[in-house]
Amino acid sequence: MSDPIDFYFDFSSPYGYFGAERIDALAQELGREVRWHAILLGPMFKATGSSPTVQVPVKGAYARHDMLRTAELNGIAFRVPEPFPISTVACARIALYLEALDFSIARRFAKRALRAYYVDNVNIGEKSAALRLAGESGADSAEVAAAIESQPLKDRLRAANDAALARGVFGSPFVIVDDEPFWGFDRFDAMRTWMKRRASHADLSSIR
Amino acid sequence: MSDPIDFYFDFSSPYGYFGAERIDALAQELGREVRWHAILLGPMFKATGSSPTVQVPVKGAYARHDMLRTAELNGIAFRVPEPFPISTVACARIALYLEALDFSIARRFAKRALRAYYVDNVNIGEKSAALRLAGESGADSAEVAAAIESQPLKDRLRAANDAALARGVFGSPFVIVDDEPFWGFDRFDAMRTWMKRRASHADLSSIR
């Protein structure tokens, strides 16, 4: 079995949500497993001197329209949530905690939280909402509530985010497969083509 | 006949070059003409608080790799030029001057200059190189050399760039068709799908 695909996303990233809705099917098509990583874009924006796109003059208006169009073209249920963007520290901690505990509950939580935010306009930046969704995903809410306040988990999330950044991750979604990085939902098709060409031993040596 | 497609590009944008290599065929497929607009990203970066991607920490390294991969996946001849990025004021003035003079020479110049830079590593930021390429495209080099130093042309380029920014253009390539904006070479497929859906009267009213 080949190495899994590393899938990085921030809960406050619409394109990360689109990626989350598609990455498992794409991985299956490529015969790979997926490792999900909830990241925090805040520190990454700092490292790259960036801002949330919707807050950038001129580009922000375009981005809002492009999100809606991308969802429409891909048949993904979506509305621009309000408030947006939000802090995703609680969700990211929950995802990290569940990942170590029960892989399938973690995945269920991530997808459920993303849909709650981007379809049902639930503010998952609020800890209470995030914990409720963890419970609905099969986790013990009280246990999770305690865990996400613990210093070791906070430290682990910071370390995981630093490790992602050190690996070159700076946006959401971001996928790394066999050391090949793909930034953005708009690179999923390129990823598919790339992987299939590699599988058929096409000569891609010129750019490796 | 429907309105032409407005195609905006900066000579120092690799993805703009990729777009320039594909926009005519795509427009033909959609039954549209193309209006080419050489823009200057510098003032747009200022307006959006952005920087040339290759100069951004972490993201820059990714961008260089993604350019090569995008060219490879699309079968477009390409090498990362050196120096990069460059000033494209001379090229943009030449393109604007020729556009008013002879549409087909203007287009030939744009494509020739882009290929010179991205394939043959000619520094088209140097005025002499840009003028030589204008001559090779069928223009009178001496006439062009005089024109691009004239204040009216300088003013026209500034006004054209301001008009593009006012219309929401902030990157390269940037395409506007029937008031629908598409930023990036990676939106060409979306543009095709979008236009065909509109042509078939699919209901896209939800996001218009």
Side-chain angles (χ1 to χ4, degrees), chain A residues 41-54:
Chain A
L41 281 180
M44 292 173 178
F45 282 154
K46 245 176 233 162
T48 58
S50 307
S51 311
T53 309
V54 292

Side-chain angles (χ1 to χ4, degrees), chain A residues 29 32 52-53 61 83 85 106 130 155 178 189 202 206:
Chain A
E29 193 185 324
R32 304 283 183 127
T53 309
D155 293 344
D178 301 343
D189 283 341
S206 63

